[in-house]
């Protein structure tokens, strides 16, 4: 308004424009410098993000959520969300020291029925006729190591390195093929009362969507935290699956089985989904993209304002203000609206 009044006064003194003409210049300046594009600079990116989130059966609720989740550094998932049970298979089991295969499966199934994770369903299918024990305890868990007790019997699972570092003996001939299979299969040894009873070759395939999203987040500062009791799942294994050296993922061991698959009946959140929890990974990325789109649109709004001032100043000083019609003003505003829509679409795909 102030700029319009200034241009009106200038026109009156320079060109002798009457009161009606001055008012026309004032209103033309107001419509020119109050860009309609600003109306969509903030609302359209948010709409665009929610439209994209709806493809994942998810939504972002309220502008406050953008600030809350765009600065998120860690998001946590259970191991089943990263390695679904249907993508994990026990390829082979070797038995040692005259152990019985049915007892090996019984102990393994009982432990992972208690510990949860993708191996829970894998062993449940293999032992559905023999059942599992409910008398299970977990004593210690680390990368490559899981110490448990089933019906009072000590059962330990883990990798060659982790187990031998704790004094457990694995014959060299049992470990000869570990290097050959380590890139494709996880090799898990099983001990009963400190005696090697089995060696399992397990194939883990990562959820395809998680795979894509983790690669997308590489270098963005957002880390995915995977909670698990599974001794085979660690950062190195995930990095091999992704084919990258550095992966934005941290594996954290559960402290208690009470944490496994724990869900709250009610919780306050600005992000919601009716799909798999992995969908929230993609939706979180939209929060930051909305903020970037808004910054870009704000810059476009400032540029349009400056250009508008220069155009109006030129027309006033050259006495060509009469050539400015409502149609030209509408075209000018439409150009900037289209620019902001395109910028938002580039940021949020």
């Amino acid at each position: 308004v102030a700029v319009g009044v200034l241009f009106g006064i200038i026109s009156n003194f320079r060109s002798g424009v009457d009161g009606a003409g001055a008012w026309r210049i004032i209103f033309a300046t107001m419509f020119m410098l109050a860009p309609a594009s600003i109306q969509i600079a903030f609302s359209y990116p948010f709409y665009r993000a929610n439209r994209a989130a709806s493809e994942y059966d998810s939504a972002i609720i309220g502008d406050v959520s953008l600030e809350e989740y765009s600065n998120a550094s860690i998001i946590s998932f259970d191991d089943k969300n990263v390695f679904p049970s249907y993508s994990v298979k026990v390829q082979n089991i070797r038995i040692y020291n005259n152990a019985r295969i049915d007892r090996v499966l019984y102990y393994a199934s009982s432990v992972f029925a208690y510990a949860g994770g993708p191996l829970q369903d894998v062993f449940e299918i293999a032992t559905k006729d023999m059942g599992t024990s409910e008398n299970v305890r977990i004593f210690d868990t680390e990368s490559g190591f899981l110490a448990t007790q089933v019906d009072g019997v000590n059962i330990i699972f883990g990798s060659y390195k982790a187990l031998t570092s704790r004094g457990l003996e694995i014959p060299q001939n049992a470990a000869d093929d570990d290097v050959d299979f380590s890139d494709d299969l996880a090799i898990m040894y099983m001990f009963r009362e400190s005696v090697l009873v089995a060696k399992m070759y397990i194939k883990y395939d990562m959820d395809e969507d998680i795979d894509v999203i983790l690669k997308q987040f590489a270098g963005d500062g957002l880390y995915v935290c995977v909670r698990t009791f599974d001794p085979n799942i660690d950062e190195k294994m995930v990095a091999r699956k992704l084919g990258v050296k550095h992966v934005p993922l941290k594996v954290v061991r559960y402290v208690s089985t009470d944490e496994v698959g724990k869900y709250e009946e009610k919780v306050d959140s600005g992000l919601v989904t009716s799909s798999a929890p992995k969908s929230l990974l993609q939706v979180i990325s939209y929060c930051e993209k909305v903020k970037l789109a808004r910054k870009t649109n704000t810059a476009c709004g400032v540029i349009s304002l400056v250009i508008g001032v220069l155009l109006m100043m030129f027309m006033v000083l050259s006495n060509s203000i009469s050539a400015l019609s409502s149609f030209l003003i509408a075209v000018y505003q439409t150009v900037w609206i289209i620019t902001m829509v395109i910028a938002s679409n580039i940021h949020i795909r």
Side-chain angles (χ1 to χ4, degrees):
V1 175
V3 176
V5 171
L6 177 62
F7 285 163
I9 294 173
I10 292 173
S11 297
N12 181 266
F13 279 102
R14 282 181 55 87
S15 308
V17 175
D18 58 13
W23 276 109
R24 181 175 179 275
I25 293 173
I26 292 173
F27 282 111
T29 304
M30 288 175 55
F31 285 118
M32 194 76 169
L33 304 186
S37 54
I38 287 297
Q39 304 301 319
I40 69 164
F42 287 85
S43 59
Y44 181 76
F46 189 75
Y47 161 76
R48 175 72 180 172
N50 266 307
R51 185 174 178 182
S54 68
E55 297 178 5
Y56 298 90
D57 297 319
S58 306
I60 304 171
I61 303 175
D63 274 9
V64 176
S65 302
L66 299 176
E67 294 295 333
E68 181 178 357
Y69 292 101
S70 62
N71 297 321
S73 58
I74 298 176
I75 182 170
S76 180
F77 289 104
D78 292 328
D79 46 10
K80 277 187 176 181
N81 298 129
V82 180
F83 295 98
S85 300
Y86 60 78
S87 68
V88 178
K89 296 179 176 61
V90 178
Q91 301 280 48
N92 190 22
I93 300 178
R94 290 186 180 178
I95 303 299
Y96 298 91
N97 296 310
N98 299 316
R100 289 170 47 187
I101 183 64
D102 61 325
R103 300 307 294 171
V104 167
L105 291 175
Y106 171 78
Y107 287 131
S109 182
S110 297
V111 168
F112 288 103
Y114 182 72
L119 290 180
Q120 176 183 14
D121 297 330
V122 172
F123 284 114
E124 181 181 3
I125 294 173
T127 61
K128 59 182 179 181
D129 294 330
M130 70 177 70
T132 59
S133 173
E134 295 184 359
N135 183 17
V136 180
R137 297 173 64 190
I138 293 178
F139 294 107
D140 191 12
T141 176
E142 295 179 20
S143 175
F145 183 77
L146 179 63
T148 70
Q149 193 177 80
V150 180
D151 298 331
V153 179
N154 292 316
I155 303 296
I156 297 177
F157 299 90
S159 65
Y160 178 89
K161 182 179 179 180
L163 294 173
T164 55
S165 68
R166 288 170 172 78
L168 295 169
E169 296 184 2
I170 299 176
Q172 188 57 46
N173 62 347
D176 284 343
D177 62 357
D178 283 14
V179 176
D180 296 335
F181 289 102
S182 60
D183 286 342
D184 298 321
L185 302 174
I187 297 176
M188 182 174 72
Y189 293 90
M190 176 178 170
F191 280 75
R192 180 186 184 278
E193 297 294 353
S194 300
V195 177
L196 178 65
V197 293
K199 178 181 180 180
M200 303 180 185
Y201 301 79
I202 306 173
K203 183 175 178 60
Y204 289 80
D205 285 326
M206 187 178 293
D207 182 278
E208 292 182 359
D209 293 335
I210 291 287
D211 186 325
V212 172
I213 294 171
L214 284 178
K215 289 179 180 177
Q216 173 185 324
F217 283 150
D220 285 352
L222 178 64
Y223 269 74
V224 175
C225 174
V226 179
R227 300 169 299 177
T228 186
F229 272 125
D230 194 322
N232 304 310
I233 298 176
D234 59 20
E235 291 88 350
K236 290 183 179 179
M237 188 255 270
V238 174
R240 287 199 306 269
K241 297 294 181 183
L242 292 175
V244 296
K245 292 183 179 180
H246 303 288
V247 57
L249 181 143
K250 180 71 174 177
V251 175
V252 176
R253 305 292 155 179
Y254 284 119
V255 175
S256 166
T257 53
D258 293 337
E259 299 176 326
V260 179
K262 182 179 180 181
Y263 297 98
E264 300 290 341
E265 184 176 348
K266 293 182 179 180
V267 66
D268 291 331
S269 176
L271 304 181
V272 294
T273 182
S274 59
S275 184
K278 65 186 178 184
S279 301
L280 293 178
L281 270 176
Q282 188 64 55
V283 178
I284 283 179
S285 71
Y286 290 146
C287 293
E288 182 63 28
K289 290 177 180 179
V290 169
K291 291 182 65 178
L292 290 175
R294 286 180 170 180
K295 289 179 180 178
T296 301
N297 288 349
T298 300
C300 289
V302 172
I303 293 171
S304 71
L305 180 63
V306 172
I307 293 176
V309 170
L310 294 176
L311 287 175
M312 289 300 299
M313 184 179 299
F314 171 78
M315 298 182 80
V316 168
L317 296 178
S318 62
N319 296 324
S320 57
I321 192 68
S322 59
L324 182 63
S325 65
S326 57
F327 173 75
L328 292 177
I329 293 176
V331 169
Y332 181 79
Q333 298 288 3
T334 301
V335 167
W336 287 104
I337 289 175
I338 293 174
T339 300
M340 291 188 181
V341 168
I342 292 174
S344 298
N345 290 344
I346 289 173
H347 283 294
I348 307 168
R349 300 181 181 179

